[in-house]
Amino acid sequence: MLLLVAYLANIILLFLASLTDMKEKIIPHKYVIAMLIINLAVGYYYFGVDAVIAFFSTLILCLILSIGMGGGDVKIFSALAPLFAFDMVYYFPKYILILIGLSAGLAAFFPMLKILKVYWRDMIPSSCYFTMVIGILDYIIQIYNIPYATLVVWGYIILSIVLSKKVQNYRNITKTLGYLFPIYLLGMYLLDTNYFISKNVLLMSLVYLGELTLISIVIYALMGVEVSDKKRIDELKEGDILRDIIVLKNDGDVVIENASLVKRIKYLIDYEKGGKKDYKLIFTDGEGLSEDTIKLLKELNEKGKIPNELNILKTYPFVPFVFLAYLIVLAILFFKNHMWG
């Protein structure tokens, strides 16, 4: 009964934190502290030392992942962990790992949907072409039983998606060939009807089409197509996340690079390695801009070293996604306990 009360208390606290996050883009400490006190006490009562281990292991994991996670998010996952100490995987609560994955997946949905809306005219026809390539090669592999062919096929597909993003002519070719998708399906049916039916070629083609579209969205995002907006320096707010990387050189020069996600991560890793450097970075991760950084940006703008506008990543409040993921996890637990007793 006490455990159920704690789960319900977390629902209320996460809901309140979600409202504040949506309105003000902050997570009040009082909600996180309340969750931590309730969950540690109840978790320790039911699960003993495992509840404490769950808290610290989740905290360490989230700090490692904090390149894309804000400090408030780290605290929330860590505060929730003691209640899930009943099922541990290598000292990590299994359902907290599920919760983190679900939260990240839900949070990625809207940016990915935005990318699809902007680039679907390129993605869908190209994905149809790649689906045809996979289908034809699968058919050849079935006949000749070629070893490791699947790895080669998917390697080619991923490389082709990258090329179609970078090379205009190649993109136009894949788009044009993609319109032959219905003809490909009809041709496969006429060529080998038994194979078409026994291998569910139509259904598998639709599955491949969905997978390839999703892979295309991810690759486009990694190559720098995250949704961003221009924002004036004097309109910047604490928590805004720069799409740009600003390099402050010791000789006074300032360089602004509109870097992709991969390049931003590389910059951060290289910068965090330490050592002697002739530059400093203005770089934002999950925490976003601080008041001090905004003040520095305004000073650089007044000196004419940076433009009046910078690229800001379009972000969404994260706590509401944690709230939804938490409800899903509780539903999974309820269903599991109801089905298996």
Side-chain angles (χ1 to χ4, degrees):
M1 182 63 182
L2 188 60
L3 193 59
L4 178 60
V5 171
Y7 284 133
L8 293 175
N10 283 320
I11 290 176
I12 296 171
L13 291 167
L14 281 173
F15 178 72
L16 294 174
S18 297
L19 293 178
T20 308
D21 195 22
M22 287 188 290
K23 290 179 181 178
E24 304 176 25
K25 292 187 178 181
I26 60 172
I27 304 172
H29 294 303
K30 60 183 179 181
Y31 298 137
V32 179
I33 292 171
M35 279 191 288
L36 181 59
I37 292 172
I38 293 170
N39 296 341
L40 265 180
V42 175
Y44 186 79
Y45 176 78
Y46 280 99
F47 313 120
V49 178
D50 281 349
V52 180
I53 294 174
F55 168 75
F56 283 107
S57 64
T58 303
L59 177 62
I60 293 170
L61 175 65
C62 290
L63 288 173
I64 293 172
L65 298 175
S66 63
I67 187 171
M69 189 184 296
D73 309 323
V74 170
K75 295 170 188 173
I76 284 180
F77 287 126
S78 303
L80 290 171
L83 279 192
F84 296 96
F86 56 85
D87 192 350
M88 305 281 276
V89 179
Y90 297 109
Y91 302 105
F92 296 104
K94 174 183 173 181
Y95 287 94
I96 281 293
L97 298 178
I98 295 173
L99 179 64
I100 293 173
L102 280 173
S103 302
L106 290 170
F109 174 77
F110 290 102
M112 292 175 72
L113 183 62
K114 190 72 175 287
I115 291 173
L116 180 61
K117 284 182 178 180
V118 174
Y119 294 96
W120 70 269
R121 290 181 179 84
D122 291 333
M123 286 184 182
I124 301 300
S126 293
S127 295
C128 286
Y129 161 72
F130 297 131
T131 298
M132 289 191 296
V133 171
I134 290 176
I136 293 169
L137 293 178
D138 274 348
Y139 183 68
I140 296 173
I141 291 168
Q142 291 283 338
I143 294 174
Y144 295 102
N145 195 25
I146 304 172
Y148 306 110
T150 303
L151 293 176
V152 175
V153 170
W154 278 100
Y156 163 74
I157 294 299
I158 292 173
L159 178 61
S160 293
I161 293 173
V162 174
L163 286 175
S164 68
K165 171 66 176 66
K166 284 182 170 292
V167 183
Q168 179 69 38
N169 290 337
Y170 188 74
R171 179 163 65 249
N172 291 337
I173 292 171
T174 59
K175 283 175 59 179
T176 302
L177 292 176
Y179 292 115
L180 299 175
F181 184 64
I183 297 175
Y184 151 76
L185 291 175
L186 178 61
M188 287 294 293
Y189 178 79
L190 295 175
L191 177 67
D192 194 334
T193 303
N194 290 331
Y195 174 84
F196 188 91
I197 295 174
S198 64
K199 296 297 183 181
N200 293 316
V201 172
L202 176 59
L203 178 61
M204 288 306 301
S205 295
L206 295 176
V207 171
Y208 282 142
L209 180 59
E211 289 178 348
L212 289 165
T213 302
L214 182 60
I215 291 171
S216 297
I217 293 171
V218 172
I219 291 176
Y220 272 47
L222 291 174
M223 294 175 66
V225 184
E226 301 108 317
V227 181
S228 60
D229 298 312
K230 289 283 187 181
K231 196 168 186 179
R232 291 178 56 85
I233 299 291
D234 55 10
E235 295 176 346
L236 292 175
K237 295 180 180 179
E238 187 175 8
D240 285 340
I241 298 178
L242 283 180
R243 176 69 165 73
D244 300 316
I245 293 176
I246 302 176
V247 183
L248 307 177
K249 297 187 177 181
N250 290 347
D251 60 7
D253 287 342
V254 178
V255 178
I256 299 178
E257 183 171 358
N258 188 233
S260 67
L261 176 62
V262 173
K263 187 169 288 188
R264 291 204 305 276
I265 293 174
K266 184 178 182 299
Y267 259 110
L268 182 62
I269 293 173
D270 290 343
Y271 191 72
E272 292 295 331
K273 283 181 179 178
K276 186 177 180 181
K277 292 185 174 66
D278 60 352
Y279 66 91
K280 293 182 180 179
L281 289 181
I282 295 180
F283 177 95
T284 54
D285 54 14
E287 289 287 356
L289 289 171
S290 66
E291 290 292 347
D292 289 338
T293 304
I294 293 174
K295 182 179 177 181
L296 175 58
L297 290 173
K298 289 180 178 178
E299 292 174 357
L300 291 171
N301 176 246
E302 290 171 359
K303 295 177 181 177
K305 292 183 179 274
I306 61 174
N308 292 325
E309 293 182 329
L310 293 173
N311 291 295
I312 303 296
L313 280 178
K314 176 68 175 177
T315 59
Y316 301 88
F318 189 67
V319 180
F321 299 116
V322 179
F323 174 67
L324 291 175
Y326 182 75
L327 293 178
I328 293 171
V329 168
L330 292 186
I332 292 171
L333 288 172
F334 175 80
F335 180 78
K336 181 179 178 182
N337 291 333
H338 180 71
M339 287 295 293
W340 305 105

